[in-house]
Amino acid sequence: MKKGNGLCDVCKGAQPIYRQVYSGVSFCDSCFKKSVEKRVRKTISRYSLLREDDRILVAVSGGKDSLSLLKILAKIEKTYPRASLVAVSIDEGIPGYRDEALRLAADMCRRLGVEHRVYTFEDLFGVGLTEAMSRGILSRLGLGACSLCGVWRRKAISLAARELKATVVATAHTLDDIVQTYLMDILRGEFPKAPIGLRREGNGIIPRVAPLRLIPEEEVVLYAYLSRVPFQETPCPNAQNSQRDLVRTFLAQFESRYPGSLFAALKTIESRIVPREEALTPCQVCGEPASKTICRACELESQVSRLSGEMGQLVRANIGVDDV
Ligand SMILES: [Zn+2]
Ligand SMILES: [Zn+2]
């Protein structure tokens, strides 16, 4: 590629602040932000992710990805008067970590004029994540914090979507997140069963879409920074040493050495996915579509509450003894 004249390759007028290594294009601040927004619009139309009259639930954690997504969708939504947005945050009950993120999410929604709702694990499932960990419930179940959190968060979003009458759920998964998930599936010996973040209807499921699926994580971070989206930088205290963390580090190193690898992986994997229509039936407990008679979230809820009850009895017994 011909070496530029030191100016933004798009407007040819301003100083570039970012060079997109995989394309060779340099962007100034304003052209970069426009480019991200334009690519999100294109992703939405290319894959038919959203409809003109959708009620879109945006899952907002308070991190850079979800707040950037919210900002971009709020802009796009203005051009679709029949569409509406509602932001939902899940409070998993991780004191000191989630509080700041929830405040940032609430502030951002207020500024954008988007309705914001918060759902807590404690209200929905009877116990918060940190409490379940500190009481030893998770270790007795042989379950990592991220596993329980992932299953319950997904369920919480589905419940919120039904309650708020959303027709689609938009999540902030980036190119990196999706390739990580595919690779984790493969490393566990399973080829991905369905493409992530593409609109699939049917089976009574509210479809989930990922409008940032073609934007690399690095560019979402830069977008958030340049757009002055205030976001929480502290990573989740439970996320270190997770499987995903290992895969993330490997992929990031690989991409920086061989730019374009993430796009190549996404394209190759998705071209080979054969989506199977899974026969889903309503969960006997909550009614959400499930592949077994009882969904995983309800199964975990009953195990956690059983252990929690047993341990509560132990604690009460001990108090009784001490009191005597
Ligand atoms: Zn420019
Ligand atoms: Zn259920």
Side-chain angles (χ1 to χ4, degrees):
M1 179 157 284
K2 197 161 61 80
K3 228 177 139 33
N5 52 3
L7 293 174
C8 166
D9 285 325
V10 183
C11 66
K12 322 271 186 211
Q15 286 298 317
I17 47 99
Y18 175 69
R19 182 164 181 274
Q20 204 170 48
V21 185
Y22 58 85
S23 68
V25 177
S26 293
F27 292 92
C28 69
D29 180 319
S30 149
C31 291
F32 174 77
K33 285 185 284 190
K34 278 188 213 144
S35 148
V36 171
E37 289 163 8
K38 196 169 142 194
R39 278 180 283 151
V40 174
R41 278 180 196 269
K42 266 178 137 170
T43 306
I44 292 171
S45 71
R46 172 175 164 190
Y47 297 107
S48 307
L49 298 185
L50 298 175
R51 297 187 182 140
E52 282 183 13
D53 57 352
D54 265 327
R55 175 151 170 82
I56 309 159
L57 183 157
V58 190
V60 173
S61 67
K64 58 203 172 326
D65 303 351
S66 63
L67 291 179
S68 297
L69 174 67
L70 183 67
K71 184 165 178 144
I72 296 170
L73 287 183
K75 267 191 183 183
I76 295 177
E77 188 243 357
K78 285 205 174 78
T79 49
Y80 294 97
R82 287 163 62 215
S84 63
L85 278 183
V86 54
V88 167
S89 301
I90 307 302
D91 182 353
E92 308 92 340
I94 310 174
Y97 163 68
R98 187 47 81 207
D99 315 337
E100 189 202 353
L102 287 175
R103 189 177 48 73
L104 291 171
D107 284 354
M108 181 81 173
C109 289
R110 213 172 302 125
R111 276 198 286 150
L112 294 172
V114 174
E115 178 188 355
H116 182 225
R117 299 288 198 97
V118 180
Y119 290 77
T120 72
F121 273 10
E122 196 171 354
D123 288 346
L124 296 173
F125 310 113
V127 66
L129 193 66
T130 300
E131 198 193 336
M133 283 166 76
S134 65
R135 290 169 63 185
I137 296 172
L138 287 190
S139 52
R140 283 188 64 188
L141 286 172
L143 212 61
C146 298
S147 311
L148 180 70
C149 192
V151 173
W152 276 1
R153 239 188 0 234
R154 197 181 167 79
K155 172 73 179 288
I157 293 284
S158 297
L159 294 175
R162 288 212 196 278
E163 190 174 287
L164 300 168
K165 302 200 172 12
T167 52
V168 66
V169 170
T171 63
H173 294 106
T174 62
L175 173 66
D176 298 51
D177 294 324
I178 294 176
V179 176
Q180 282 160 23
T181 306
Y182 289 156
L183 201 58
M184 283 162 67
D185 281 349
I186 294 170
L187 291 171
R188 285 194 213 107
E190 261 193 49
F191 197 77
K193 289 196 188 78
I196 297 170
L198 294 187
R199 191 162 188 146
R200 293 218 295 157
E201 313 271 350
N203 266 333
I205 289 177
I206 298 170
R208 289 175 186 240
V209 299
L212 303 181
R213 70 194 317 278
L214 299 182
I215 315 285
E217 178 76 33
E218 177 188 60
E219 296 187 16
V220 178
V221 177
L222 184 60
Y223 179 88
Y225 175 73
L226 296 175
S227 314
R228 294 182 178 77
V229 170
F231 58 86
Q232 190 184 36
E233 288 181 75
T234 333
C236 173
N238 303 324
Q240 279 101 30
N241 301 320
S242 66
Q243 261 187 35
R244 181 174 293 277
D245 226 40
L246 288 174
V247 173
R248 175 187 295 123
T249 308
F250 159 71
L251 282 176
Q253 285 174 355
F254 201 87
E255 173 69 25
S256 84
R257 183 103 49 106
Y258 305 102
S261 301
L262 291 175
F263 282 113
L266 184 92
K267 201 169 154 214
T268 307
I269 294 170
E270 291 191 341
S271 71
R272 285 166 175 75
I273 294 177
V274 186
R276 269 168 288 170
E277 275 316 314
E278 242 187 316
L280 300 181
T281 46
C283 162
Q284 285 182 357
V285 180
C286 69
E288 283 290 308
S291 52
K292 293 190 286 180
T293 47
I294 293 176
C295 76
R296 181 78 176 131
C298 286
E299 189 183 38
L300 288 174
E301 187 181 344
S302 97
Q303 289 173 347
V304 168
S305 102
R306 185 174 47 79
L307 279 180
S308 173
E310 278 173 20
M311 292 165 115
Q313 278 168 11
L314 280 176
V315 172
R316 275 190 293 277
N318 282 335
I319 291 171
V321 172
D322 288 346
D323 279 351
V324 173

